[in-house]
Amino acid sequence: MATQPVAITGYTYDELMLKHECPWAKDHHESPLRLSSILDRCRELKLFDRCLFVKCTKANDDDILLYHNESLLKSLSQAPCKNIEQLKEFCRTYDDVYMNEFSLEAAKLAVGGSLNLLDSIMTNKCQNGFALVRPPGHHAMENEMNGFCLFNNVVITAKTAIEKYNLQRVLIIDWDVHHGQGTQYAFYDTNKVLCISTHRYEYGQYWPSLAESDFDFIGEGDGQGFNVNIPLNKTGLKNADYLYIFFNIILPIAYEYDPDLVLVSAGYDVALGCPEGEMKITPDTFAHLTHYLKGLANGKVMILLEGGYCIDTLAESAVWTLRSLLGDPCSPLQACTNPDPIVRKTVACCKNVLKDYWQSLRIDLTDKCEIWIKEAKRKQALIPLINNKIRPIQYDLTPTLIIKQTEEQLLKIQQDIKRALELAPHQKPLERGRTLLVYDELMKKFHSRGHCERPGRIEAIWKGVQSRGLDQRCKMIPSRLATKEEILLAHNDEFYELMKSTKTASERQLKQLKGALRSVEYTNDVFDNALLAAGSCLNMIDAIMTDEGRNGFAIVRPPGHHAHCSLDYGFCYFNNVAICARYLQRHYNLQRILIIDFDYHMGDGVKDVFYEDPGVLYISLHCYDAFPPNEGHPNDSGKDKGLGYNINIGWLKFDPPAVDADYINAFHHVILPIAYEYNPEFVLVCAGFDAAEGDRIGWGKLSACAYSQMTHMLLSLANGRVLEVLEGGYCLHQLNICGSACVATLLGDSPIRCSEDSAKYPQDLVSVRTIQMIKDIHRSFWTSLFTIPDQNENAIDKLAENLEKTAIKNN
């Protein structure tokens, strides 16, 4: 078992970085206020009190020369900072750069602080970290300052990680609104670094206006396929658009790459209100993006500050990023629907050019997107682009950002910012007891000789939790019997009384009741045992809803998800999860409940209870042709008002058996997009572990990684209110390690990396065909699923003609 880091999150900054400013434009938007506002807001929320401070020290020349050459270093050291006119002439030789007498030292501190933070992460002093540094770095090239950047902090950090710590795979995510071309150039021909950048492009009209910022620049040599550009060709894009990009491109590729370290060039100029970016991403969205990246690289994630020029949303965005690093729950986003058609086009084009390099992108067929590639190139051809080899001799001095909006537009932006901040208030984190457990030895009392649903199942999980010391970090919730009224939330009176009669039935009567065809057994203990399982789950619901804990795992038996309103079935008597969902509706007035079922067998009982109820979205991952018979086909999608709210990800063929990547890709491509569109208030999980390798009934090859990762991804939803309820799983060894892995992940420990290369790739015969079918069936219900916009050749030709006429007229 890996040693836990001393702290969860480290951070670094230096006050001297506040002295770096533009001497000829004190109101320049890349100002010291950008950093000081973040520091002030973090202190106000006492976030730094929970972090490890890592001191900045100046990088030495050898550090800087890992990427930059000696002539740049010499040029900067000889910059005429004391003569402003000479300094202006010096800065004109670079694109959008300014300096003063403190700039070189600040830039060295930015690099040095980043490297010190990297060292703290790599030596287990902290799990992750945030480098609050300026000047920014991602535009700086080998021999050239560029775009407010002197040295490329993220490139030097990545190169150090490879050379000093012998890392083989480093992932760099750049969500700044500008393309970090310096980072791209540094790693364009290597597969040791995977660079993924999403940036405003507008077919080349937006700075830095490079041809190589487009989607078809994917690397060369050993780096072919390892440079991913996701150009954004319009402004005003929203949360739904960025999540669409994350779920369709970034996360599938990142998980397949399986990095040893994740670095993020975190520019917050994509945030709502930034006049430089003109996008509409709300600050709390960055908590979600950060949360997903923490699922990679054993949680070794390092954020480096880049751009961001709306002070209110810059500070708030950075705060949400830091809170996510610390493990605080993500604030629920408003329902993310209808990704922009232009974003859909771009995603389709990216998938098309990258599909030969990443198996996870082959899930979607992109042959029909050739028309959008053609359109993009036509539009780009009208723009006078530059490239890295042809550059002006002299540039205009870096300008102060000119705000083009009218007073009415500025007022509207301020109102939008105010509303976004009000919708995502900061709540005090639950420092202790964030994860709840319920376990009672009495649930072992029901026992049928030789049956695989045996008492040892819950004991195996409990021992796994204890052996890892997880029970000491959780809060135990007492068990109790469910009342008749509570059972009747999902079952009818006649069935309840029948079950109650088993308490006093003779052995002969019990044998007469035995449902051989229904796979159920009876003893005098089964009724109380089933009541205890259901009641214990309801105690967990109450504890989570009253903030006694954030999430929980119910180690209960017998399982429940096959139980119907008037019928026990498949080892199940009372439907624990269905009762919990109805209880949440009745007692807490919840309108949207998400149930995820990853048991090897489809939960037909849960499906039937909510088949016509849009207040519960039921998504099941299972083997289609396993028990129960004639259930769980992907075409079965609900009825009447519940149409579209029953989603069966039923693997059409479990030969070969499913591996971790099959389930993880189902989350990326289907479950998470739909979940964000649904916007649940609570997540219930039918946690069955019978798809794990070696199970007596299921025939899967899942490892603890899959269960840990699925749990981690669900924690981003519903303000972190997630309750996992034990269902199947009949290999005691796998119950021990997989169940405890879920509890550890609920506690905020880093989810498990996939240990086997063969489990990193979705299989054509298992998940690829099934996910394609699921999307085809459910696109009419859910706008967030991947689609290629409709093609219209005439419209594209007409658009190109108009663009050409406009270009001629402007010239």
Side-chain angles (χ1 to χ4, degrees):
M1 185 169 62
T3 305
Q4 289 295 312
V6 176
I8 297 173
T9 301
Y11 73 104
T12 188
Y13 78 95
D14 193 285
E15 294 288 338
L16 188 134
M17 295 176 192
L18 301 176
K19 294 184 178 182
H20 165 65
E21 60 183 337
C22 184
W24 57 82
K26 296 294 185 182
D27 57 347
H28 195 282
H29 50 292
E30 205 295 286
S31 70
L33 185 58
R34 295 181 58 248
L35 179 55
S36 63
S37 68
I38 296 173
L39 300 175
D40 290 344
R41 186 65 172 134
C42 289
R43 288 168 181 146
E44 181 184 355
L45 294 171
K46 299 185 179 352
L47 297 183
F48 288 154
D49 294 348
R50 300 161 56 198
C51 298
L52 171 72
F53 176 66
V54 177
K55 183 178 175 59
C56 282
T57 55
K58 287 192 290 185
N60 59 43
D61 289 356
D62 288 340
D63 295 327
I64 294 167
L65 293 175
L66 277 173
Y67 177 46
H68 301 287
N69 62 27
E70 291 185 6
S71 62
L72 176 64
L73 194 56
K74 182 178 179 181
S75 178
L76 286 174
S77 64
Q78 296 176 351
C81 294
K82 294 184 178 180
N83 185 313
I84 194 165
E85 293 304 319
Q86 290 180 4
L87 182 61
K88 285 181 179 180
E89 289 304 309
F90 173 81
C91 290
R92 282 194 179 99
T93 61
Y94 301 100
D95 188 5
D96 268 352
V97 170
Y98 71 79
M99 287 184 69
N100 67 4
E101 65 269 33
F102 302 105
S103 297
L104 180 57
E105 187 175 358
K108 287 184 175 182
L109 284 168
V111 173
S114 299
L115 296 183
N116 290 350
L117 185 55
L118 171 69
D119 183 75
S120 295
I121 292 171
M122 296 308 301
T123 57
N124 231 24
K125 294 184 180 70
C126 56
Q127 180 68 58
N128 55 52
F130 200 153
L132 293 163
V133 296
R134 63 182 291 271
H138 69 146
H139 297 303
M141 292 169 272
E142 183 182 18
N143 194 35
E144 185 175 343
M145 296 185 292
N146 186 270
F148 311 157
C149 303
L150 279 64
F151 299 134
N152 198 313
N153 308 315
V154 75
V155 167
I156 296 170
T157 302
K159 284 183 174 287
T160 301
I162 293 167
E163 296 199 10
K164 183 175 180 180
Y165 301 101
N166 198 33
L167 300 192
Q168 300 303 303
R169 296 184 301 277
V170 176
L171 169 63
I172 298 178
I173 301 288
D174 190 333
W175 66 50
D176 190 280
V177 83
H178 305 91
H179 180 221
Q181 78 276 33
T183 306
Q184 174 170 310
Y185 298 149
F187 302 114
Y188 202 64
D189 59 356
T190 180
N191 56 19
K192 286 197 170 184
V193 179
L194 168 61
C195 294
I196 305 179
S197 174
T198 177
H199 47 267
R200 182 176 166 186
Y201 190 56
E202 297 181 80
Y203 302 105
Q205 293 186 75
Y206 190 67
W207 192 90
S209 299
L210 300 169
E212 52 262 47
S213 300
D214 211 354
F215 63 83
D216 52 343
F217 279 78
I218 62 172
E220 62 187 16
D222 290 342
Q224 199 160 22
F226 293 87
N227 189 80
V228 179
N229 285 327
I230 308 163
L232 306 174
N233 290 315
K234 68 176 292 188
T235 58
L237 299 180
K238 301 177 182 178
N239 297 346
D241 300 301
Y242 274 72
L243 288 173
Y244 187 79
I245 290 167
F246 250 69
F247 296 147
N248 278 288
I249 298 179
I250 295 177
L251 289 181
I253 291 177
Y255 269 79
E256 190 172 332
Y257 185 60
D258 185 30
D260 302 313
L261 173 72
V262 178
L263 301 174
V264 182
S265 281
Y268 297 107
D269 34 12
V270 294
L272 176 67
C274 184
E276 182 84 354
E278 299 182 80
M279 299 298 181
K280 295 185 178 180
I281 310 304
T282 60
D284 50 333
T285 303
F286 295 101
H288 293 257
L289 305 186
T290 303
H291 177 83
Y292 288 117
L293 297 179
K294 285 165 55 185
L296 300 159
N298 290 323
K300 293 186 184 299
V301 176
M302 180 173 157
I303 312 288
L304 296 93
L305 182 63
E306 299 284 359
Y309 308 100
C310 172
I311 298 302
D312 290 338
T313 55
L314 165 65
E316 204 67 14
S317 299
V319 158
W320 275 112
T321 302
L322 183 56
R323 290 200 65 175
S324 185
L325 290 175
L326 282 163
D328 293 350
C330 302
S331 176
L333 301 178
Q334 297 300 296
C336 294
T337 62
N338 296 306
D340 193 282
I342 288 183
V343 172
R344 291 179 182 272
K345 292 179 186 179
T346 296
V347 168
C349 294
C350 290
K351 281 177 176 275
N352 191 69
V353 298
L354 291 164
K355 64 185 178 183
D356 291 338
Y357 305 95
W358 303 101
Q359 192 159 322
S360 55
L361 298 188
R362 298 179 201 170
I363 285 175
D364 292 308
L365 303 176
T366 57
D367 295 341
K368 295 181 180 179
C369 80
E370 295 291 344
I371 191 73
W372 303 122
I373 294 176
K374 181 179 177 183
E375 179 202 46
K377 290 307 164 187
R378 280 188 176 183
K379 290 182 176 181
Q380 191 196 71
L382 302 174
I383 310 301
L385 299 178
I386 60 175
N387 60 52
N388 188 37
K389 297 178 181 178
I390 304 173
R391 298 195 156 275
I393 296 174
Q394 193 173 65
Y395 297 87
D396 293 333
L397 283 175
T398 177
T400 298
L401 184 62
I402 299 172
I403 298 179
K404 301 175 183 177
Q405 293 100 333
T406 65
E407 287 188 16
E408 184 178 351
Q409 289 171 325
L410 290 172
L411 178 61
K412 174 66 166 57
I413 289 172
Q414 287 303 313
Q415 290 172 340
D416 289 344
I417 292 173
K418 181 181 178 183
R419 181 172 180 272
L421 299 185
E422 289 173 347
L423 287 172
H426 291 283
Q427 299 175 352
K428 187 177 180 180
L430 297 172
E431 297 290 351
R432 296 175 62 85
R434 59 182 275 172
T435 295
L436 309 175
L437 290 178
V438 65
Y439 172 76
D440 193 324
E441 294 280 340
L442 289 175
M443 279 183 264
K444 295 165 60 179
K445 197 171 182 182
F446 164 57
H447 179 50
S448 180
R449 188 181 301 275
H451 200 285
C452 61
E453 202 295 284
R454 59 201 190 276
R457 295 177 61 247
I458 58 172
E459 187 177 35
I461 294 179
W462 181 242
K463 285 183 176 179
V465 168
Q466 286 183 311
S467 67
R468 297 175 63 174
L470 302 176
D471 58 319
Q472 300 302 311
R473 298 167 56 196
C474 295
K475 181 171 184 176
M476 295 301 299
I477 297 297
S479 59
R480 70 167 174 88
L481 299 175
T483 66
K484 179 177 180 179
E485 180 185 16
E486 290 165 346
I487 297 298
L488 295 184
L489 289 170
H491 299 279
N492 63 28
D493 186 83
E494 182 181 0
F495 176 63
Y496 177 87
E497 292 299 330
L498 176 65
M499 286 296 301
K500 184 178 179 181
S501 71
T502 62
K503 284 190 69 172
T504 56
S506 66
E507 188 171 337
R508 180 180 178 183
Q509 289 171 321
L510 291 173
K511 285 183 178 179
Q512 289 174 339
L513 282 172
K514 182 177 177 180
L517 296 178
R518 302 199 311 275
S519 298
V520 290
E521 301 282 341
Y522 296 100
T523 72
N524 295 132
D525 298 312
V526 66
F527 178 67
D528 282 345
N529 218 139
L531 286 180
L532 190 59
S536 298
C537 291
L538 294 177
N539 265 3
M540 295 281 275
I541 292 289
D542 285 331
I544 293 171
M545 291 303 296
T546 57
D547 286 334
E548 196 173 340
R550 180 65 60 191
N551 55 54
F553 194 104
I555 310 174
V556 297
R557 66 176 289 269
H561 71 147
H562 293 306
H564 294 251
C565 174
S566 59
L567 184 71
D568 45 6
Y569 196 39
F571 311 166
C572 302
Y573 302 90
F574 295 140
N575 199 315
N576 304 317
V577 165
I579 292 168
C580 286
R582 285 287 187 229
Y583 187 81
L584 284 164
Q585 291 177 322
R586 182 75 56 85
H587 292 272
Y588 294 99
N589 196 33
L590 296 195
Q591 305 299 305
R592 298 178 309 280
I593 299 164
L594 171 63
I595 299 177
I596 299 294
D597 190 333
F598 52 63
D599 192 280
Y600 178 81
H601 307 91
M602 185 261 180
D604 50 318
V606 179
K607 181 206 79 168
D608 282 357
V609 173
F610 302 109
Y611 202 57
E612 301 177 30
D613 184 359
V616 174
L617 169 60
Y618 176 63
I619 305 179
S620 175
L621 301 107
H622 55 267
C623 177
Y624 162 60
D625 58 359
F627 180 92
N630 305 314
E631 287 280 7
H633 193 277
N635 282 321
D636 191 3
S637 54
K639 181 181 177 183
D640 297 335
K641 291 183 179 179
L643 190 61
Y645 293 88
N646 184 76
I647 301 174
N648 286 314
I649 306 176
W651 311 124
L652 299 176
K653 191 173 183 180
F654 230 66
D655 183 11
V659 296
D660 296 342
D662 293 316
Y663 279 68
I664 289 170
N665 272 275
F667 265 73
H668 293 161
H669 289 274
V670 177
I671 295 174
L672 291 174
I674 290 176
Y676 274 89
E677 187 166 352
Y678 187 62
N679 190 23
E681 300 165 286
F682 200 103
V683 179
L684 291 165
V685 181
C686 294
F689 299 99
D690 36 5
E693 187 167 16
D695 191 84
R696 294 172 62 180
I697 294 181
W699 195 55
K701 291 191 68 174
L702 298 195
S703 73
C705 165
Y707 298 107
S708 173
Q709 289 288 347
M710 289 188 287
T711 299
H712 174 77
M713 288 186 271
L714 291 174
L715 287 174
S716 64
L717 304 168
N719 205 30
R721 285 177 167 165
V722 176
L723 174 60
E724 298 194 333
V725 178
L726 178 62
E727 295 286 355
Y730 307 99
C731 171
L732 299 187
H733 172 69
Q734 289 290 9
L735 283 167
N736 180 295
I737 61 174
C738 295
S740 60
C742 288
V743 174
T745 306
L746 290 171
L747 279 163
D749 292 357
S750 299
I752 300 169
R753 281 177 74 177
C754 190
S755 59
E756 295 184 23
D757 286 343
S758 60
K760 295 176 184 176
Y761 308 102
Q763 301 175 100
D764 290 338
L765 295 178
V766 180
S767 57
V768 173
R769 287 176 53 216
T770 303
I771 291 174
Q772 288 172 357
M773 178 181 288
I774 294 296
K775 288 185 176 184
D776 289 341
I777 293 167
H778 284 276
R779 280 194 183 100
S780 58
F781 308 120
W782 302 100
T783 65
S784 53
L785 295 178
F786 174 77
T787 54
I788 298 174
D790 292 336
Q791 301 176 15
N792 187 326
E793 284 274 8
N794 294 332
I796 293 171
D797 289 339
K798 186 174 181 181
L799 177 61
E801 289 175 10
N802 291 337
L803 285 168
E804 288 166 3
K805 289 177 183 177
T806 302
I808 293 170
K809 183 178 179 181
N810 290 340
N811 289 336

